[in-house]
Amino acid sequence: MTIEEHKQRTARSYKLILLFAMVSMFMMFAGLTSAFVVSKSRTDWLKDFQLPSAFFYSTAVIIACSVTFHLAKKAIQKDNKKATTSFLLVTLALGILFVILQFVGFRQIVDNGYFFTGSESSITTTFLYIVTIVHMAHLFGGLISLLIIIYNHFKQKYNSGQTLGIELGAMYWHFLDFLWVYLFLFLYFFK
């Protein structure tokens, strides 16, 4: 086996492991949304609850994150390290902005008189809180991997012949993007 064949096998193995992890995560969120559907029939379910405006903005931000991560991957494939650096740093900034907007959304919900826990909470807002917090936990994993990718990029570990780390990071980030859009649309349309 040549070195190139070994690198290709290793890349396929890492991508398969990541794919398995993403399918597992999606199944967990499918379970949460299924529980949401079942709970919707409860008498204490809030029928008139509206998603906060910050969630609309955060959806646009996370889609932009996917675009900038994709552009970073394309730039490194062309050995354009300066553009790769810019796109990775913009992706990081947008990822942090997404998290901030999620907390702004939580604040908007509380300001509207809805609470996530305690005696004044409702099952509707508790479900919303759990779903978004679990997504943010996965996003924190994405931000940590992005920081590692940025570190490795500054250490000159990526070039047109070695893009595996950025490819894996982009795969995961696109998954997080897809997952949030799915959750957002589910929560928006399935009230």
Side-chain angles (χ1 to χ4, degrees), residues 78-143:
K78 295 176 183 173
D79 279 324
N80 187 341
K81 294 182 191 273
K82 185 176 179 183
T84 303
T85 300
S86 297
F87 288 128
L88 287 174
L89 292 175
V90 169
T91 303
L92 178 62
L94 289 171
I96 292 168
L97 179 59
F98 175 84
V99 173
I100 291 168
L101 286 169
Q102 293 291 285
F103 283 106
V104 169
F106 294 155
R107 171 68 11 211
Q108 289 174 338
I109 291 169
V110 171
D111 288 347
N112 286 330
Y114 300 107
F115 298 92
F116 302 110
T117 60
S119 61
E120 295 181 14
S121 68
S122 74
I123 189 69
T124 310
T125 55
T126 301
F127 257 109
L128 176 68
Y129 183 68
I130 289 170
V131 166
T132 54
I133 287 293
V134 171
H135 179 264
M136 274 200 300
H138 290 90
L139 187 87
F140 281 125
L143 288 171

Side-chain angles (χ1 to χ4, degrees), residues 76-77 79 81 156-163:
I76 198 64
Q77 289 170 341
D79 279 324
K81 294 182 191 273
Q156 306 291 319
K157 292 191 177 184
Y158 303 122
N159 57 50
S160 60
Q162 169 53 325
T163 62

Side-chain angles (χ1 to χ4, degrees), residues 20-186:
F20 178 74
M22 290 185 307
V23 167
S24 298
M25 286 180 245
F26 185 77
M27 294 303 293
M28 179 182 60
F29 281 99
L32 285 171
T33 53
S34 295
F36 187 94
V37 170
V38 170
S39 296
K40 190 178 172 218
S41 63
R42 291 172 48 131
T43 57
D44 59 347
W45 192 261
L46 298 175
K47 306 289 185 211
D48 59 346
F49 180 78
Q50 299 294 315
L51 289 177
S53 61
F55 282 16
F56 290 86
Y57 298 122
S58 67
T59 302
V61 166
I62 202 164
I63 291 170
C65 280
S66 261
V67 171
T68 57
F69 215 140
H70 176 75
L71 293 172
K73 185 176 89 169
K74 290 297 180 190
I76 198 64
Q77 289 170 341
K78 295 176 183 173
D79 279 324
N80 187 341
K81 294 182 191 273
K82 185 176 179 183
T84 303
T85 300
S86 297
F87 288 128
L88 287 174
L89 292 175
V90 169
T91 303
L92 178 62
L94 289 171
I96 292 168
L97 179 59
F98 175 84
V99 173
I100 291 168
L101 286 169
Q102 293 291 285
F103 283 106
V104 169
F106 294 155
R107 171 68 11 211
Q108 289 174 338
I109 291 169
V110 171
D111 288 347
N112 286 330
Y114 300 107
F115 298 92
F116 302 110
T117 60
S119 61
E120 295 181 14
S121 68
S122 74
I123 189 69
T124 310
T125 55
T126 301
F127 257 109
L128 176 68
Y129 183 68
I130 289 170
V131 166
T132 54
I133 287 293
V134 171
H135 179 264
M136 274 200 300
H138 290 90
L139 187 87
F140 281 125
L143 288 171
I144 290 168
S145 68
L146 181 56
L147 287 170
I148 292 167
I149 289 166
I150 291 169
Y151 174 80
N152 286 336
H153 174 65
F154 283 129
K155 290 290 190 180
Q156 306 291 319
K157 292 191 177 184
Y158 303 122
N159 57 50
S160 60
Q162 169 53 325
T163 62
L164 181 61
I166 292 177
E167 286 181 49
L168 292 171
M171 275 178 65
Y172 185 66
W173 206 268
H174 295 324
F175 167 74
L176 290 172
D177 180 9
F178 165 78
L179 188 59
W180 176 254
V181 170
Y182 159 75
L183 292 170
F184 176 79
L185 293 173
F186 176 84

